Each structure stands twice: as C-alpha cells, then as structure tokens.
Amino acid sequence: MRHVIAIRLLAPLIICIAMSAGMARAAPPSAPASALPSASPASAEQIERGRYLARIANCAACHTAEGGAPMAGGLALRTDVGDVYSTNITPDPDSGIGRYTFDEFDRAVRRGVARDGKRLYPAMPYVSYARMTRDDVAAIYAWMRSEVKPVRQPNRETVLRWPYRMRWLLVPWNWLNLDDGAMRTDAARGPVWNRGAYLVKAVAHCGACHTPRGMLYGEKAGDESSRHFLSGATVEGWSATNLTGDVLTGLGAWSQADIVEYLHTGRNAHATSFGPMSTVIAASTQYLSAGDLVAVATYLKSIPGAHGETQPYRHDPATATRLAQGRFDTPGARQYATYCMPCHNADGKGFARVFPPLAGNPTVVDPNPASLINLLLDGAVTARVNTAPSDYHMPGYGWTMEDQELANLLTFIRGGWGNRAAPVSPEAVAARRQALGPRARISDTP
C-alpha cells in the first residue's frame, strides 16, 4: 500500500526537546564500502520466506513508481508539507542498496536510519517494522539480494517545506514514537492470536493507515491496549476504516470467515474493496497463507469496539418502498434511482461480492464521508485477485453532477435504509473535487 504517513511535526516543541536532550543518540554515518558486502549464501527456504514477507509488508507498493522498474523507487508520497519520494531499494551498488550489509539494512528497516546515518522520514513505516524479528528482516534481505533485479536509478530529492525538511528533527520524534521494537507475546492467547498480532502490528503495519495520529503525528496507539488502535484514520483523502469490534462502523458484524474472505478476495457479503485497499489486497493480502489469514482474522476479531457501538444495524424498508413507488421527493432520491439503483438496488442491498450493499455498510455509515465522496467523484475498481476472473469498475460521477447534487445523493445514501449517518455538505464535495483535479471536474460536453 502507499504508506503516506503524516510528518507534520510541531517544530518549535520538538526543537526544544532536541536542544534539551542533545543529539547524542543520533547514529553516526557508516564507513564507506569499496565493494559489495560479502554474505553467506542464503538457503532456498530463507529466500522463499523473504519473498513472502516482502509481499505481506507490501514493499513494492511504495518503492515502485507507476510504469517504473520494481523496487527502483521514485514514487511520490504526497503530504501537505511537500512530497517524499520513495528510494531505490534494488541491489544496485550505486543508486540502490547493493552496498548495504545486513546490519545496515536491518537498521534502516527497523530503526529508520540509512547506511550513511541519514534519518528516514516515517513515510517508511519503520515504527511498525521495528517489531519484526531480526530473522524475518534477514529473510527479506536475502530475497532482495538474490531475486530483485539491480536497477541504476538515482533517488529523487525529497521536497518539503522548512522546517520539516530538517531530518535531525526526526531524532526527538523517534524518541517519542519508536519503541524498543520488542514484540511482546501473550501466552494466554495462544499461537494463532499471537501470529495474527505480529502480522497486523509489524509486518503488514495495518496501524500505519488505520490508527489515528496524535498532536505530533505519531500513531496514537501501537496495540490493542488502547481504544485508539485501528479505530480509523484519514490517508490521502480516503477514510481508512475502523477495524475494531464496533458493530456499525467496524468489524463487529463480520465473522472471522468474512474477514478471511475479504483479505483473500477483496469482497464478501458485507463489502467490496475500493481505493487504496484494492491495491493492498491485490499486491499483498491475497497472498497470505490460509493459516496467516485465520491468524489475522482471529486477532482482529479480538479487538473491542473503539466507539461503544452496541446496537446492530437494522434494515429499514421504507427507503426501498418509496423508490419502488417512484417517490423522489427526498433530495438525492432521483439521482440514486438514475445512477446507483441499477447496481445497488432499491433496497440498498446490492449484489453480494460484486456490487456491495449500501445498507449497513461500514464505509457508508463512517463518520468521515471522505471515501464515499471519492467514490462518487472519481469511481473505483475492485482488487485484481487470482480468485476472480476480472475486477469490477464503479464509474465516477464528478463529471456530470454539481457539488450540491452529489452532496444530496451522498446524504440520501447515508440516511437511507436505516443507516442514520450524518449528511454531507456541498463544501466537502467541492474541496475534494478541487484536490482530485481535472478528472473530477464537470464535463463541458453536453
């Protein structure tokens, strides 16, 4: 997945922390190497494990630019303080990581410090990777050196506003947000739960997108002991949904089998993937082994609801009745009948595993309507997976509907069939339309 982690540090406070604490903990640069580091030959088993872990960690999603060579970097990770460009992590000795020893690679992955001592911006989710075992990082290193093709492609300079471009500010930020990296197991929970916790919190780094950020833009929580963990956040203009046990906006209404099916295929009876999550499923989670899928689902189902939702969704047929009668007096009803009802039906229940239900859908009732606004403006595509013959495209309607019309339609969907979610304002639609640019503009063609 494109891990655009907010790095808008509160500079004055951090400068004070850094000056009072000193810079003693800054890592010294590594000595230059004149040749590629020597290493013991990796076993086929270690390389295969590294290939699997790199997929689950979704390294390619950030380190491969559109149309570019795999792992050669250059992908722009957009933030509101500038752009961070992913780096070349192929084994090229000059522009990539070919001269990295394993210890240097491990330090970059788990501590956020490059070979030359430069601090990595937390667009690289090293705060999560810090919990990975050294053996697993070694497996990824072995796979990259054995099977990733070296590509000579210089890295692009990060372009951030002052003072955010001053990398030394990351020293105190790491003191506040980077723990000792030890992954603590809970013997009482059993091996399946602990494996799922390791995958969610470390390798797949789900919290990087699904956990809200605090005042200094670090994740508010790192594990299930806090109600903030995986309770939902906003990433690149999308709402990264609540993964806790809440019965309306979270996974409380999903069974363990539902979660397994969704991560493996991008669809289930409750939802169909869209936006960034389609990319995650296509590139990463569809490749989870059967045992690891169960482990992840087991762990996620153990997390209590973050928002105290106790009353499950109940379908209200009144909306379907009015639509069937041709009663379009409610704002947005006529637009729904024209653009949405052919796929999602008058009852809002859609067609399972193809056109998702809108009635009771966690994305629809999410307090943050960002994802719905994106979907209506720009459309979406389901995950391209090996278990399905094709992906499905939802068209965007930004080209044909004004902001007020779209707001009315979104409000109709969020209030229909018993959803009871807050209305959407035309200002919110206009702001996102502007951010999306030309592809979401009203068409001049009659």
Side-chain angles (χ1 to χ4, degrees):
M1 139 191 261
R2 295 174 62 182
H3 313 288
V4 183
I5 301 179
I7 56 173
R8 296 175 295 165
L9 310 179
L10 296 185
L13 175 60
I14 290 184
I15 289 171
C16 292
I17 294 173
M19 292 182 68
S20 63
M23 301 296 292
R25 292 177 61 179
S30 300
S34 57
L36 298 181
S38 60
S40 302
S43 68
E45 181 182 3
Q46 185 186 38
I47 293 170
E48 176 59 32
R49 189 162 112 255
R51 183 189 302 114
Y52 177 77
L53 290 166
R55 257 181 172 162
I56 305 313
N58 210 3
C59 304
C62 282
H63 289 278
T64 304
E66 185 174 357
M71 304 291 190
L75 182 70
L77 307 177
R78 310 293 185 187
T79 79
D80 56 4
V81 298
D83 297 339
V84 178
Y85 290 93
S86 63
T87 55
N88 183 344
I89 58 171
T90 73
D92 181 72
D94 298 316
S95 59
I97 60 171
R99 297 187 188 276
Y100 272 62
T101 65
F102 168 64
D103 285 337
E104 291 166 341
F105 179 80
D106 182 60
R107 186 176 67 160
V109 170
R110 297 199 295 165
R111 309 311 295 172
V113 182
R115 180 172 178 269
D116 60 1
K118 181 168 61 178
R119 298 280 169 174
L120 304 181
Y121 290 111
M124 161 69 172
Y126 59 83
V127 173
S128 297
Y129 292 158
R131 302 183 180 99
M132 290 180 64
T133 67
R134 185 174 169 88
D135 283 349
D136 278 352
V137 177
I140 293 174
Y141 178 76
W143 169 74
M144 295 183 76
R145 291 183 62 81
S146 300
E147 296 192 353
V148 176
K149 181 181 178 181
V151 176
R152 187 178 297 273
Q153 178 174 296
N155 291 311
R156 296 187 61 175
E157 287 295 325
T158 291
V159 182
L160 298 178
R161 296 201 311 265
W162 186 91
Y164 309 107
R165 60 175 174 261
M166 297 191 296
R167 290 181 185 264
W168 67 264
L169 291 174
L170 292 166
V171 176
W173 190 89
N174 286 339
W175 289 340
L176 297 172
N177 294 282
L178 184 62
D179 62 24
D180 61 9
M183 187 71 187
R184 296 164 182 82
T185 59
D186 185 342
R189 298 276 198 166
V192 175
W193 184 94
N194 280 288
R195 174 64 175 174
Y198 176 69
L199 292 169
V200 169
K201 292 189 282 189
V203 187
H205 55 281
C206 304
C209 288
H210 291 273
T211 298
R213 303 271 162 178
M215 186 176 65
L216 298 181
Y217 295 93
E219 294 172 36
K220 283 189 174 182
D223 60 41
E224 65 283 350
S225 65
S226 169
R227 65 179 178 84
H228 295 297
F229 184 59
L230 301 181
S231 63
T234 301
V235 179
E236 289 194 291
W238 294 86
S239 176
T241 53
N242 175 4
L243 301 183
T244 73
D246 286 310
V247 296
L248 295 177
T249 62
L251 300 179
W254 292 27
S255 68
Q256 180 177 299
D258 290 331
I259 297 173
V260 167
E261 182 182 7
Y262 183 77
L263 293 176
H264 188 53
T265 70
R267 59 205 77 190
N268 63 21
H270 301 276
T272 302
S273 70
F274 58 84
M277 195 62 200
S278 283
T279 303
V280 172
I281 291 168
S284 178
T285 66
Q286 71 160 317
Y287 298 104
L288 280 163
S289 68
D292 279 350
L293 281 166
V294 170
V296 168
T298 299
Y299 173 71
L300 290 176
K301 284 298 292 181
S302 75
I303 302 174
H307 304 300
E309 298 168 3
T310 58
Q311 297 299 316
Y313 168 76
R314 292 286 184 268
H315 187 272
D316 183 348
T319 303
T321 299
R322 290 195 297 271
L323 288 169
Q325 294 171 347
R327 293 169 54 190
F328 303 136
D329 48 320
T330 303
R334 187 174 298 278
Q335 285 86 357
Y336 181 82
T338 302
Y339 297 105
C340 309
M341 198 162 70
C343 292
H344 297 283
N345 299 326
D347 61 8
K349 293 182 179 181
F351 183 65
R353 296 171 179 82
V354 180
F355 307 123
L358 302 178
N361 189 310
T363 298
V364 172
V365 299
D366 192 328
N368 181 357
S371 290
L372 278 186
I373 295 173
N374 285 337
L375 288 168
L376 265 292
L377 280 172
D378 197 33
V381 61
T382 59
R384 182 168 295 173
V385 292
N386 297 329
T387 56
S390 64
D391 45 21
Y392 294 93
H393 292 249
M394 173 184 161
Y397 298 108
W399 65 274
T400 190
M401 279 192 273
E402 301 283 352
D403 296 339
Q404 185 65 64
E405 291 179 297
L406 279 167
N408 289 343
L409 172 54
L410 290 163
T411 297
F412 176 84
I413 292 170
R414 282 167 62 83
W417 312 287
N419 283 333
R420 298 190 301 277
V424 176
S425 71
E427 291 78 16
V429 175
R432 190 57 189 158
R433 189 194 295 271
Q434 182 177 10
L436 288 171
R439 65 180 187 266
R441 291 177 186 162
I442 295 287
S443 174
D444 294 329
T445 303

